[in-house]
């Protein structure tokens, strides 16, 4: 009304239906596209850029990867992550995603560092088996029969069975991680200007 933008919309204000069936809105973001005062920059005719305007807020998404990171590394990474959030510039808009059994939007874009810290502190680390499977020592029958030939046969059987599980967990990690990155990209698509994604992870299969 009167040309004023609605600046307090929430996920609950919308209903999404597909063929009459209500669907879950997994992610929702309210983006303020209004320019900050004095943000305009002169540019040559027919010249375009995705660089943020002077004074415009910076947009950074963090992906805290608990799927591909073992529990001990998660604790160290979280400590550094919290330290980094406290040092962000005042105009930085930050969102925090967490990847575990699924992708979770822990906190949508905000400049409220205290709210971001509270959300991250309130989220528990994940002791998942997927990353640990690749680094676990090979199984062994530990010479239960005393016969080296039989022991070798048992060890070969155990290791071949274990390898199938390792291959499965690596496939799960790869597919789930790729899907998460795609979802984040789609979530960032509607935000103008340059975006940054910082992926906190021990590695990738």
């Amino acid at each position: 009304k009167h040309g004023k933008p609605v600046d307090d919309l929430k996920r609950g204000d919308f209903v999404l239906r597909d063929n009459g069936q209500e669907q879950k809105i997994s992610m929702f973001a309210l983006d303020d596209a209004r320019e900050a005062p004095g943000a305009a920059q002169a540019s040559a005719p027919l010249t375009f850029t995705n660089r943020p305007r002077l004074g415009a807020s910076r947009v950074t998404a963090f992906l805290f990867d608990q799927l591909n990171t073992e529990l001990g590394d998660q604790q160290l990474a979280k400590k550094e992550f919290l330290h980094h959030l406290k040092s962000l510039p005042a105009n930085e808009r930050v969102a925090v995603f967490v990847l575990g059994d699924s992708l979770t939007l822990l906190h949508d874009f905000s400049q409220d560092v205290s709210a971001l810290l509270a959300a991250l502190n309130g989220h528990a680390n994940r002791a998942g088996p997927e990353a640990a499977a690749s680094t676990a020592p090979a199984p062994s029958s530990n010479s239960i029969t005393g016969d080296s030939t039989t022991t070798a046969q048992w060890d070969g059987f155990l290791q071949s069975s274990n390898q199938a599980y390792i291959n499965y967990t690596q496939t799960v990690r790869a597919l789930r991680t790729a899907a998460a990155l795609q979802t984040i990209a789609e979530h960032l698509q509607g935000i103008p200007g340059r975006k940054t994604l910082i992926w906190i992870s021990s590695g990738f299969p």
Side-chain angles (χ1 to χ4, degrees):
K1 193 174 182 180
H2 306 302
K4 295 181 180 180
V6 180
D7 58 6
D8 60 349
L9 291 172
K10 301 178 180 60
R11 187 190 324 229
D13 295 322
F14 296 86
V15 176
L16 175 66
R17 289 190 173 91
D18 182 15
N19 291 326
Q21 297 294 320
E22 186 170 340
Q23 305 296 314
K24 178 183 177 182
I25 301 176
S26 59
M27 293 188 183
F28 176 86
L30 178 65
D31 181 59
D32 188 351
R34 291 170 292 180
E35 296 181 1
Q41 282 182 317
S43 60
L46 299 179
T47 301
F48 305 92
T49 178
N50 66 350
R51 295 184 181 276
R53 293 180 174 87
L54 184 65
S57 62
R58 297 167 54 183
V59 176
T60 302
F62 287 89
L63 174 59
F64 190 61
D65 187 351
Q66 296 181 325
L67 175 65
N68 299 299
T69 307
E70 293 191 51
L71 185 60
D73 291 335
Q74 289 178 37
Q75 294 169 343
L76 294 173
K78 189 174 184 179
K79 180 180 178 181
E80 293 298 323
F81 186 17
L82 289 168
H83 177 73
H84 178 74
L85 285 177
K86 295 175 182 177
S87 62
L88 289 175
N91 67 335
E92 185 114 12
R93 294 175 60 220
V94 171
V96 179
F97 295 85
V98 175
L99 176 60
D101 294 321
S102 60
L103 179 67
T104 301
L105 178 58
L106 192 62
H107 199 296
D108 211 343
F109 286 103
S110 174
Q111 292 174 307
D112 187 347
V113 174
S114 60
L116 292 164
L117 293 173
L120 191 59
N121 274 318
H123 183 79
N125 290 333
R126 175 182 182 269
E130 297 90 353
S134 299
T135 58
S140 174
S141 57
N142 295 317
S143 302
I144 56 175
T145 64
D147 176 65
S148 59
T149 301
T150 304
T151 297
Q153 292 174 343
W154 272 108
D155 287 351
F157 169 75
L158 292 173
Q159 290 171 18
S160 62
S161 301
N162 191 57
Q163 188 60 47
Y165 175 68
I166 291 175
N167 294 341
Y168 167 74
T169 58
Q170 289 184 340
T171 300
V172 167
R173 289 167 58 195
L175 293 176
R176 198 177 292 171
T177 303
L181 293 172
Q182 177 70 29
T183 301
I184 293 172
E186 292 169 354
H187 188 63
L188 298 178
Q189 188 175 15
I191 300 176
R194 179 169 295 181
K195 282 84 69 171
T196 301
L197 172 64
I198 298 179
W199 181 9
I200 304 171
S201 177
S202 284
F204 185 71

